[in-house]
């Protein structure tokens, strides 16, 4: 954690609240909070519930209280598997790689307000979920970088029809109905075109920052570093450049007016997010609840099996 960043998620254990170390104890505590959960989360930005021994098959009563209306992961770009009623593996990105900081679905026209993570299987080593105060992330960037992003960014996706690099449009939108995809993209304000091979190209302009609806705090809120080839590493970027043009990549990003985003800008964004992050280490049964606007999250590399589930709500 950056020495200047004193923020960390609020940890809540049974002994802190005088509750039994059981799932029922956590549910009773959340029932007691009632409408107080929302302001508590806004105040602390992220909450970690530890030692309540919540089993994977006992998640629903807890999620019903933490996430009033669970959302499907529509328009998501991370590889994951649906394992329940709008419950997913958090990611299936290879374990040797760190996933940089991001606010979930910040590239979309709508996004979840809350995310809940649950540890089903803890890794042997590593595998923490880093979280960063998104206001601090914004303030940590050089003035030149913040100014460059002032007018927002343009995200471009090339979604195949079942075979190719990246995700298919069927997986991305959780449907095989083109009309439903058209309706979603129209409502999102995207530009799109279907191709003869069944793939679809989607382009969407989104802001680079956002203000929280309750606090008014301005935060960094885009995924330009994750969508930019420079963030893939030199060797991977070079290999991709040899087989396809930038505009044909599964996903890419420019400034809103189409100008390229300099490599050093996205590297600064990526690194300062990670540098200012606080690691949430996992033990089986732990839960992490975050405000998806005030806090960005990622994943550290790990060894051994790791299974962290995620669900979200608006």
């Amino acid at each position: 954690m950056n020495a200047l960043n004193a923020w960390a998620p609020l940890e809540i254990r049974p002994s802190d609240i005088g509750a039994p170390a059981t799932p029922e104890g956590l549910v009773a505590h959340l029932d007691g909070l009632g409408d107080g959960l929302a302001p508590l989360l806004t105040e602390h930005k992220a909450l970690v519930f530890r030692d309540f021994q919540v089993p994977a098959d006992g998640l629903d009563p807890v999620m019903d209280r933490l996430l009033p209306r669970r959302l499907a992961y529509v328009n998501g770009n991370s590889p994951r598997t649906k394992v329940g009623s709008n419950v997913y593996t958090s990611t299936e990105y290879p374990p040797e790689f760190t996933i940089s900081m991001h606010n979930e679905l910040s590239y979309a026209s709508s996004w979840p307000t809350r995310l809940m993570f649950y540890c089903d299987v803890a890794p042997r080593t590593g595998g923490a979920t880093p979280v960063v105060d998104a206001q601090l992330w914004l303030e940590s960037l050089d003035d030149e970088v913040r100014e460059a992003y002032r007018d927002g960014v343009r995200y471009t996706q090339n979604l195949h029809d079942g075979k190719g690099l990246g995700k298919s449009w069927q997986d991305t939108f959780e449907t095989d109905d083109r009309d439903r995809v058209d309706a979603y993209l129209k409502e999102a304000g995207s530009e799109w075109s279907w191709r003869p091979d069944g793939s679809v190209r989607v382009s969407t302009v989104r802001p680079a920052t956002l203000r929280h609806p309750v606090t008014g705090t301005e935060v960094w809120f885009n995924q330009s570093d994750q969508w930019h080839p420079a963030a893939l590493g030199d060797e991977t970027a070079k290999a991709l450049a040899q087989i396809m043009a930038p505009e044909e990549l599964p996903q890419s990003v420019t400034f809103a007016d189409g100008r390229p985003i300099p490599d050093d800008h996205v590297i600064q964004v990526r690194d300062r997010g990670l540098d200012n992050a606080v690691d949430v280490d996992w033990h089986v049964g732990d839960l992490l609840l975050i405000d998806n606007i005030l806090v960005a999250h990622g994943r550290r590399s790990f060894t051994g099996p790791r299974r962290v589930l995620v669900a979200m709500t608006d």
Side-chain angles (χ1 to χ4, degrees):
M1 180 173 63
N2 188 302
L4 297 177
N5 177 17
W7 174 81
L10 175 67
E11 292 202 358
I12 299 173
R13 301 175 186 269
S15 59
D16 298 328
I17 57 175
T22 63
E24 292 77 15
L26 177 55
V27 168
H29 173 65
L30 295 174
D31 283 342
L33 282 176
D35 293 340
L37 176 63
L40 183 69
L41 180 60
T42 299
E43 177 185 358
H44 293 280
K45 306 178 183 179
L47 308 173
V48 182
F49 299 95
R50 295 200 189 275
D51 302 336
F52 288 96
Q53 304 179 54
V54 179
D57 60 3
L59 267 178
D60 277 344
V62 177
M63 288 193 292
D64 288 346
R65 288 151 178 86
L66 295 178
L67 307 172
R69 190 174 78 91
R70 293 205 295 275
L71 299 174
Y73 184 60
V74 175
N75 201 14
N77 67 334
S78 178
R80 62 183 71 200
T81 301
K82 193 171 186 176
V83 297
S85 176
N86 290 344
V87 181
Y88 303 82
T89 56
S90 58
T91 184
E92 292 167 11
Y93 201 63
E96 62 269 26
F97 297 111
T98 292
I99 298 175
S100 60
M101 310 308 294
H102 59 287
N103 305 78
E104 199 64 43
L105 291 170
S106 58
Y107 53 83
S109 62
S110 61
W111 48 84
T113 58
R114 297 180 190 173
L115 301 182
M116 187 213 74
F117 297 90
Y118 166 79
C119 182
D120 185 23
V121 178
R124 184 183 311 118
T125 64
T129 294
V131 289
V132 67
D133 180 332
Q135 179 185 9
L136 174 65
W137 191 6
L138 172 63
E139 293 172 350
S140 75
L141 301 175
D142 293 351
D143 291 344
E144 175 190 7
V145 173
R146 290 199 300 269
E147 178 62 22
Y149 277 87
R150 181 182 60 184
D151 295 327
V153 297
R154 178 180 293 274
Y155 301 100
T156 299
Q157 294 171 285
N158 291 297
L159 303 171
H160 60 76
D161 191 30
K163 293 183 180 179
L165 289 175
K167 294 182 71 173
S168 70
W169 61 264
Q170 293 93 335
D171 286 342
T172 297
F173 298 106
E174 291 198 354
T175 183
D176 57 6
D177 185 337
R178 286 194 183 194
D179 290 340
R180 289 183 62 185
V181 175
D182 289 342
Y184 175 89
L185 294 174
K186 181 178 181 180
E187 184 176 354
S190 300
E191 301 169 3
W192 74 99
S193 60
W194 294 95
R195 296 177 169 181
D197 63 359
S199 65
V200 61
R201 179 179 175 85
V202 182
S203 180
T204 309
V205 173
R206 300 292 308 145
T209 66
L210 193 69
R211 290 195 178 275
H212 191 273
V214 175
T215 68
T217 302
E218 185 178 16
V219 300
W220 188 251
F221 197 77
N222 69 83
Q223 291 187 33
S224 60
D225 62 311
Q226 290 195 329
W227 287 56
H228 196 287
L232 298 173
D234 291 344
E235 295 306 315
T236 302
K238 288 177 182 176
L240 283 174
Q242 290 175 354
I243 62 174
M244 61 178 58
E247 64 271 13
E248 296 301 324
L249 291 170
Q251 58 186 39
S252 58
V253 64
T254 64
F255 289 125
D257 60 6
R259 289 179 298 117
I261 301 176
D263 292 1
D264 60 348
H265 283 23
V266 296
I267 297 303
Q268 180 181 132
V269 168
R270 180 195 66 189
D271 291 350
R272 293 194 183 170
L274 285 165
D275 288 347
N276 286 286
V278 179
D279 283 352
V280 176
D281 294 310
W282 288 114
H283 305 282
V284 174
D286 287 351
L287 297 108
L288 166 65
L289 184 70
I290 67 174
D291 183 308
N292 186 46
I293 296 175
L294 294 175
V295 171
H297 66 281
R299 190 206 67 190
R300 303 293 185 184
S301 61
F302 64 94
T303 64
R306 178 187 187 272
R307 182 176 168 89
V308 173
L309 305 180
V310 64
M312 56 196 79
T313 188
D314 57 4

